[in-house]
Amino acid sequence: MPLHMVLIGLPGCGKTAAGSLAASRLGAPFVDLDQLIIREQGRSIERIFAAGEAAFRNLERDAMRRVLDGPPGIVSPGGGWAAQPGNLESATGQAVLVYLRVTPGIAAERIGDSAGRPLLAGADPRQRLTELLEAREAFYRRAGHSIDTDGRSPELVAETIVTLARKHGGWP
């Protein structure tokens, strides 16, 4: 049975754009973890974060656990999922982790208006993304594979994800 492909990296790295294309090419489900949480909770990520980041991280951890126990697919967690204690380890044996690398400047350009992104609210997006990368990159680098996304279209990144899925994830 194929393994899940879990895409990690900064906001704006292309997890959703490239991940949904890769899922389509593989005939696999695509799960945007934030959207799943929004549907299940009936409220926005901003409103969930208003109750505290720890509450959101618990929901995120539980949602990922359920997704990994389900049919294999392409999964896009939030940018901070990989940096939470135990999350990377919990995916071992069920998923191939792929770090989508992006520079903070390119990520800020891709994001544009940071509305809907609580950790970027009220900050200079480029500066805040630089800070987030410094705090999270050691976790991102623990992924078994990485793809540079700067200057690459979502289609090209998706093709690389598909290749990795077939080579390392057991996908046909």
Side-chain angles (χ1 to χ4, degrees):
M1 176 186 276
L3 297 173
H4 293 275
M5 302 298 292
V6 175
L7 310 178
I8 61 174
L10 281 178
C13 71
K15 295 184 298 284
T16 298
S20 61
L21 289 169
S24 178
R25 291 181 187 161
L26 290 166
F30 174 73
V31 179
D32 180 311
L33 218 54
D34 284 354
Q35 292 305 311
L36 176 64
I37 292 167
I38 289 168
R39 279 193 311 276
E40 290 179 349
Q41 296 298 308
R43 54 192 171 135
S44 68
I45 297 297
E46 298 88 357
R47 289 192 57 214
I48 296 168
F49 254 80
E53 184 176 352
F56 172 75
R57 297 299 177 195
N58 286 334
L59 291 171
E60 186 180 50
R61 182 177 297 109
D62 292 344
M64 180 63 90
R65 189 174 303 121
R66 289 192 318 276
V67 167
L68 291 178
D69 286 342
I74 310 296
V75 186
S76 170
W81 174 83
Q84 301 308 305
N87 282 354
L88 294 174
E89 294 79 7
S90 71
T92 301
Q94 293 179 290
V96 174
L97 299 172
V98 181
Y99 171 25
L100 301 186
R101 289 192 308 261
V102 65
T103 57
I106 297 294
E109 288 175 21
R110 289 178 181 169
I111 290 169
D113 178 10
S114 59
R117 298 180 184 265
L119 292 179
L120 300 180
D124 169 29
R126 184 182 186 138
Q127 177 59 38
R128 184 66 180 129
L129 287 164
T130 298
E131 293 166 0
L132 289 172
L133 182 60
E134 289 172 2
R136 297 173 176 172
E137 190 167 32
F139 296 97
Y140 295 158
R141 288 186 179 274
R142 290 174 51 195
H145 307 279
S146 63
I147 302 170
D148 286 317
T149 68
D150 284 3
R152 296 185 74 200
S153 69
E155 292 80 9
L156 286 174
V157 175
E159 226 14 81
T160 306
I161 294 167
V162 167
T163 299
L164 288 172
R166 290 182 173 145
K167 185 174 182 181
H168 300 286
W171 288 87

